[in-house]
């Protein structure tokens, strides 16, 4: 049985979709079957940053409203055969009425994929509760800016009340030089503020912007960011393995 992990954030523009797309690629390169669900209804950016928007015929709403079969909505990434995607709809009214259907869908996907990565919307409105409903674990993405950390804290409060297996934080756009100059909040301080485990920091990297504009993951460039995403993915593998061993014992 696979693991469903929701990636969320309290504030928009912190790079959540960048994080989930590159971790998805790295996990697939580690010979894991990965499917990414875009639940950010109305915006739908995940297929865009992956460069496969022209392959989209159906979306998540079509699946949940029985307008198509699951297989028809799944887009496979030709560059990464183990990586798959179900895109979001461009609109979705009455989102929470589909929550039960989403849970059923994710359980079915977990039977066929090692990882089901859910790209949730920013904020804590109905879309947030919809996206976290079927998840086993959660990763909150933030930047080292006080407003983003504040909003991430609100997400953490809600997630902590939902009894997930784990709730971790990834800090994006992190500049160690600014931290040393006391111009940016450190990862240790962020961990203390949020009372959470910071599983990794992704450096501020202009190459990420270049890759997004080209519709390719950062792993296709030799940068420090790529190494960080590789480390994060291996850490996620180890965490799941440790939990499985604990359950067996």
């Amino acid at each position: 049985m696979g693991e469903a992990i929701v990636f969320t954030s309290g504030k928009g523009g912190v790079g959540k979709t960048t994080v989930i797309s590159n971790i998805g690629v790295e996990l697939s390169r580690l010979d894991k079957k990965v499917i990414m669900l875009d639940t950010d209804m109305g915006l739908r950016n995940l297929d865009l940053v992956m460069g496969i928007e022209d392959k989209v015929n159906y979306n998540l709403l079509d699946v949940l409203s029985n307008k198509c079969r699951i297989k028809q909505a799944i887009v496979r990434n030709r560059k990464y055969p183990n990586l798959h995607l179900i895109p979001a709809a461009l609109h979705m009214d009455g989102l929470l009425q589909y929550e039960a259907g989403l849970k059923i869908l994710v359980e079915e996907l977990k039977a066929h994929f090692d990882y089901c990565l859910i790209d949730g919307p920013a904020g804590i409105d109905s879309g947030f509760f919809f996206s976290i409903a079927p998840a086993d674990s959660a990763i909150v993405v933030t930047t080292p800016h006080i407003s983003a950390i504040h909003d991430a804290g609100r997400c953490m409060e809600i997630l902590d009340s939902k009894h997930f297996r784990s709730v971790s934080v990834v800090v994006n756009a992190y500049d160690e030089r600014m931290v040393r100059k006391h111009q940016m909040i450190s990862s240790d301080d962020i961990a203390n503020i949020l009372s959470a485990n910071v599983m990794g920091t992704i450096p501020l990297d202009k190459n990420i912007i270049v890759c997004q504009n080209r519709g390719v993951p950062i792993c296709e460039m030799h940068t420090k960011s790529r190494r960080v995403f590789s480390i994060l993915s291996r850490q996620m593998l180890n965490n799941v393995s440790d939990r499985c061993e604990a359950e067996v014992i």
Side-chain angles (χ1 to χ4, degrees):
M1 182 65 72
E3 173 97 351
I5 306 172
V6 62
F7 289 69
T8 187
S9 65
K11 186 177 178 63
V14 298
K16 173 175 49 59
T17 300
T18 298
V19 172
I20 190 174
S21 60
N22 283 284
I23 284 180
V25 168
E26 291 295 340
L27 286 171
S28 73
R29 286 160 60 107
L30 292 170
D31 202 29
K32 297 298 178 182
K33 291 190 66 177
V34 180
I35 186 162
M36 300 186 294
L37 267 64
D38 191 346
T39 63
D40 196 354
M41 303 300 178
L43 296 179
R44 204 178 85 185
N45 287 317
L46 195 50
D47 58 302
L48 189 65
V49 301
M50 295 300 298
I52 54 175
E53 68 277 10
D54 59 331
K55 307 297 182 183
V56 174
N57 294 313
Y58 296 98
N59 57 57
L60 183 57
L61 176 58
D62 293 327
V63 176
L64 296 179
S65 58
N66 297 314
K67 292 182 179 179
C68 73
R69 298 189 304 276
I70 298 174
K71 288 184 178 180
Q72 290 178 290
I74 294 176
V75 181
R76 188 175 184 180
N77 193 307
R78 291 185 178 180
K79 287 185 180 179
Y80 307 100
N82 286 330
L83 186 60
H84 306 73
L85 167 69
I86 297 180
L90 291 175
H91 61 85
M92 195 169 191
D93 298 323
L95 194 62
L96 294 181
Q97 68 177 302
Y98 296 99
E99 184 177 306
L102 181 64
K103 290 180 179 179
I104 294 170
L105 171 63
V106 169
E107 284 301 311
E108 184 169 345
L109 292 173
K110 284 165 58 178
H112 300 281
F113 293 89
D114 298 304
Y115 288 91
C116 179
L117 307 182
I118 303 168
D119 188 10
I124 53 173
D125 58 8
S126 60
F128 169 80
F129 290 95
F130 175 75
S131 67
I132 70 172
D136 302 307
S137 306
I139 293 176
V140 178
V141 181
T142 185
T143 55
H145 304 97
I146 192 63
S147 59
I149 297 168
H150 175 272
D151 292 349
R154 182 65 184 121
C155 281
M156 297 289 296
E157 290 176 7
I158 298 173
L159 293 170
D160 287 341
S161 70
K162 298 295 181 179
H163 307 294
F164 285 101
R165 291 177 184 169
S166 66
V167 179
S168 301
V169 174
V170 168
V171 182
N172 191 30
Y174 193 75
D175 191 324
E176 292 182 354
R177 185 173 61 177
M178 291 183 69
V179 171
R180 289 195 296 270
K181 292 182 177 181
H182 304 288
Q183 297 172 338
M184 180 175 282
I185 303 171
S186 72
S187 59
D188 288 340
D189 286 339
I190 293 171
N192 289 331
I193 292 170
L194 298 177
S195 299
N197 169 50
V198 174
M199 63 182 294
T201 58
I202 300 163
L204 187 64
D205 187 353
K206 65 181 180 181
N207 290 309
I208 289 178
I209 300 174
V210 174
C211 286
Q212 281 196 338
N213 289 338
R214 293 177 179 173
V216 297
I218 194 69
C219 71
E220 295 189 11
M221 299 183 72
H222 295 285
T223 68
K224 188 175 181 180
S225 296
R226 175 191 173 180
R227 293 194 294 274
V228 172
F229 283 118
S230 177
I231 292 170
L232 284 173
S233 301
R234 291 181 182 278
Q235 184 177 336
M236 289 170 62
L237 282 179
N238 291 335
N239 289 343
V240 171
S241 296
D242 290 344
R243 281 199 297 272
C244 288
E245 289 180 6
E247 289 173 0
V248 170
I249 294 172

